[in-house]
Amino acid sequence: MKKLFGLLSVLLLAACNSENPGSVTRYFYEQSEVSPPEENVGMYVNWTPGNKIVFRFVIVHPDDPDIADDEVAEVFWVEVPKNLTAFEFDTNDISEGSDIEVYYTRSCYCGFEAFRFNSVEVTGKKRNNGSWHLSFKMTAVSGNYTEEEYFLEDDGIYAKGIIDNSNP
């Protein structure tokens, strides 16, 4: 009985200490384009119909009921030419005039200026079933006076989506 109680205690402590990373969505959109907004804001990009493929990773962090207006969503965007079936992008190796664009945005009840990337590594490969496998690591710095650094990393399968500009 003591062993069972000890095991249950360990499991409960582990469950209480595990962080909920939030909900993640991964989609790609054919015949889309993204571009920076005209104003220097880091909360959205211009997302329009176009002739490229756009990948969109979104993580919506869990709401803390003890904090008002703490809802935060992070969005990482990758835009590639429509004829690619595989690609690699690394800010350390990129040359002028690359056909691949990346953007990072945060959506919340606070303001951000546009983000500057310190580093980005992205690889993508189209799978036989039409979905894509993407892996990325990125570090960005906010453009505001705090110069706060943000890190995001993922490795997952992206399903085909339909453009919906009502989401972050």
Side-chain angles (χ1 to χ4, degrees), residues 22-34:
S23 65
V24 171
T25 57
R26 299 174 187 94
Y27 288 104
F28 73 93
Y29 304 88
E30 295 176 333
Q31 299 179 346
S32 294
E33 289 185 16
V34 288

Side-chain angles (χ1 to χ4, degrees), residues 92-105:
N92 296 323
D93 299 331
I94 189 154
S95 61
E96 233 6 77
S98 172
D99 289 339
I100 298 173
E101 297 281 339
V102 292
Y103 299 93
Y104 172 69
T105 58

Side-chain angles (χ1 to χ4, degrees), residues 6 9 18 20 28 34 42 46-47 58 72 93 96 103 120 148 157-158 160 168:
S9 297
S18 65
N20 178 356
F28 73 93
V34 288
N46 294 322
W47 186 14
V58 180
V72 175
D93 299 331
E96 233 6 77
Y103 299 93
V120 179
E148 190 168 351
I157 305 300
Y158 286 65
K160 186 174 181 178

Side-chain angles (χ1 to χ4, degrees), residues 22-88:
S23 65
V24 171
T25 57
R26 299 174 187 94
Y27 288 104
F28 73 93
Y29 304 88
E30 295 176 333
Q31 299 179 346
S32 294
E33 289 185 16
V34 288
S35 61
E38 290 181 22
E39 298 103 29
N40 185 21
V41 294
M43 297 180 292
Y44 65 92
V45 297
N46 294 322
W47 186 14
T48 59
N51 62 356
K52 299 189 179 184
I53 300 173
V54 173
F55 298 90
R56 184 173 177 239
F57 170 86
V58 180
I59 181 166
V60 178
H61 296 279
D63 184 26
D64 183 343
D66 296 327
I67 301 174
D69 298 338
D70 72 320
E71 297 83 9
V72 175
E74 296 179 83
V75 186
F76 181 68
W77 308 80
V78 179
E79 177 191 84
V80 301
K82 67 180 178 181
N83 58 346
L84 294 183
T85 57
F87 64 90
E88 290 185 26

